[in-house]
């Protein structure tokens, strides 16, 4: 699996390269700036991009903007963002197109290498890896959104877990619900949000994330 990595801190970048290679990934480029990232993504067309939001030269949103530009040129390019903070605007921009694997993890909440590697694999496969804090912030900023307001407390719990990328089985285990109960809640959520139902977990999650990403509170 081919990876492009963007991280401006040298030690962290080298550590991530070593970790990825130890788990069988091929790191085709490890860069430290926005322009270098865009060139690598378009030129290499990797299976997944692992991107820090803030990169040189201005340390604002170069990493994210490079990833978004690359996704327009390479539709569906999987992108996993690593950030120090929850940047709601950046998260919305990344999620809004609803296509391709996507992830947003907070650096200080990635507790071990296995967790990080699993997230990379999920995003590369077209799935999602969203930190619960990111989902909580997006839901909070959508608190005045009428469709979300129609959800019951249990449906909201299911939505949060679904948005993190969890399957029906995982949601059922977490909330002590049967598969049929989770399916019923999911169907109700999609009906209330006006989303087309899907049996594909990845497409379903991306639809929910696109909904959250496109509707500011």
């Amino acid at each position: 699996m081919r990876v492009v990595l963007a991280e401006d801190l040298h030690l962290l970048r080298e550590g991530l390269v070593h970790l990825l290679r130890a788990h069988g990934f091929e790191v085709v480029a490890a860069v430290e700036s926005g322009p270098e990232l865009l060139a690598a993504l378009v030129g290499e067309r990797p299976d997944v991009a692992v991107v820090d939001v803030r990169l040189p030269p201005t340390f604002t949103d170069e990493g994210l903007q490079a990833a978004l530009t690359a996704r327009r040129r390479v539709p569906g390019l999987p992108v996993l963002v690593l950030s120090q903070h929850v940047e709601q605007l950046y998260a919305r921009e990344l999620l809004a197109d609803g296509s391709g694997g996507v992830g947003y993890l907070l650096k200080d909440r990635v507790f071990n290498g296995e967790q990080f590697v699993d997230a990379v694999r999920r995003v590369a496969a077209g799935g999602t890896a969203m930190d619960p804090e990111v989902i909580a912030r997006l839901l909070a900023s959508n608190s005045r959104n009428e469709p979300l307001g129609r959800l019951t407390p249990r449906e909201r719990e299911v939505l949060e877990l679904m948005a993190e990328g969890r399957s029906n089985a995982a949601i059922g285990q977490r909330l002590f619900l049967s598969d049929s109960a989770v399916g019923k809640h999911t169907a109700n959520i999609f009906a209330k949000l006006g989303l087309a139902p899907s049996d594909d977990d990845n497409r379903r999650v991306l639809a929910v994330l696109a909904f959250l990403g496109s509707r500011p509170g």
Side-chain angles (χ1 to χ4, degrees):
M1 190 178 296
R2 302 170 70 252
V3 181
V4 165
L5 169 68
E7 168 59 57
D8 65 293
L9 296 178
H10 176 77
L11 290 179
L12 179 55
R13 184 172 66 251
E14 291 303 307
L16 290 173
V17 168
H18 178 76
L19 175 64
L20 289 167
R21 287 176 174 164
H23 283 82
F25 294 90
E26 179 186 0
V27 181
V28 295
V31 302
E32 61 180 346
S33 72
E36 290 176 310
L37 172 60
L38 179 57
L41 292 177
V42 174
E44 296 288 349
R45 299 191 173 222
D47 297 307
V48 62
V50 179
V51 178
D52 189 4
V53 170
R54 299 182 180 186
L55 295 173
T58 67
F59 294 96
T60 54
D61 63 350
E62 284 88 352
L64 181 71
Q65 292 305 324
L68 291 172
T69 299
R71 276 168 74 99
R72 288 192 287 270
R73 298 184 188 179
V74 186
L77 175 69
V79 175
L80 173 60
V81 168
L82 287 176
S83 180
Q84 199 68 40
H85 310 284
V86 179
E87 308 276 6
Q88 288 188 39
L89 176 61
Y90 301 157
R92 289 185 188 282
E93 288 189 74
L94 182 64
L95 299 175
D97 67 4
S99 65
V102 64
Y104 195 120
L105 300 181
L106 300 180
K107 291 180 179 179
D108 61 355
R109 287 165 59 90
V110 178
F111 300 117
N112 58 64
E114 293 296 332
Q115 178 188 4
F116 171 71
V117 168
D118 176 66
V120 175
R121 293 191 191 280
R122 282 162 53 193
V123 172
T128 60
M130 304 297 297
D131 189 284
E133 180 65 20
V134 176
I135 299 302
R137 295 285 187 90
L138 288 173
L139 286 169
S141 68
N142 277 280
S143 60
R144 295 187 297 277
N145 184 284
E146 183 179 351
L148 285 173
R150 294 199 291 265
L151 300 182
T152 66
R154 176 62 87 184
E155 288 167 353
R156 191 179 177 93
E157 287 181 316
V158 172
L159 176 66
E160 290 179 12
L161 294 174
M162 190 190 310
E164 290 175 22
R166 299 180 186 273
S167 65
N168 277 9
I171 293 172
Q173 291 176 352
R174 181 74 172 269
L175 299 179
F176 303 102
L177 296 173
S178 66
D179 287 345
S180 61
V182 174
K184 181 179 179 181
H185 286 309
T186 300
N188 289 340
I189 290 167
F190 270 66
K192 290 178 180 180
L193 299 186
L195 300 173
S198 174
D199 292 329
D200 183 284
D201 282 345
N202 289 343
R203 292 181 62 186
R204 183 185 69 176
V205 174
L206 290 171
V208 169
L209 292 176
F211 178 91
L212 294 176
S214 64
R215 288 164 168 78

